[in-house]
Amino acid sequence: MNWHSWSEFFAMGGYALYVWGSVLMTIALLGAEVLSVRARRKNLLRQYSRWIRNTRRENDENKA
């Protein structure tokens, strides 16, 4: 497509609602995915830290 002005570009030949809605939905879903991965990573690191602490504590108790 060839646009002669910014308003034509943003109108997308009459399909602006579909095009820009899709772009916004994609950005929103990618943002949600990033936040979800960060939360899962934080949770896994917390669980792993607890597991290491408990394992060390058990090893120390078995040695004594």
Side-chain angles (χ1 to χ4, degrees), residues 16-47:
L17 183 62
Y18 171 76
V19 172
W20 295 116
S22 299
V23 169
L24 290 175
M25 183 60 71
T26 300
I27 290 171
L29 290 173
L30 287 173
E33 181 67 18
V34 168
L35 294 175
S36 174
V37 168
R38 283 184 182 176
R40 283 184 287 182
R41 180 181 184 273
K42 184 177 179 181
N43 188 27
L44 284 173
L45 289 175
R46 189 180 307 124
Q47 288 177 358

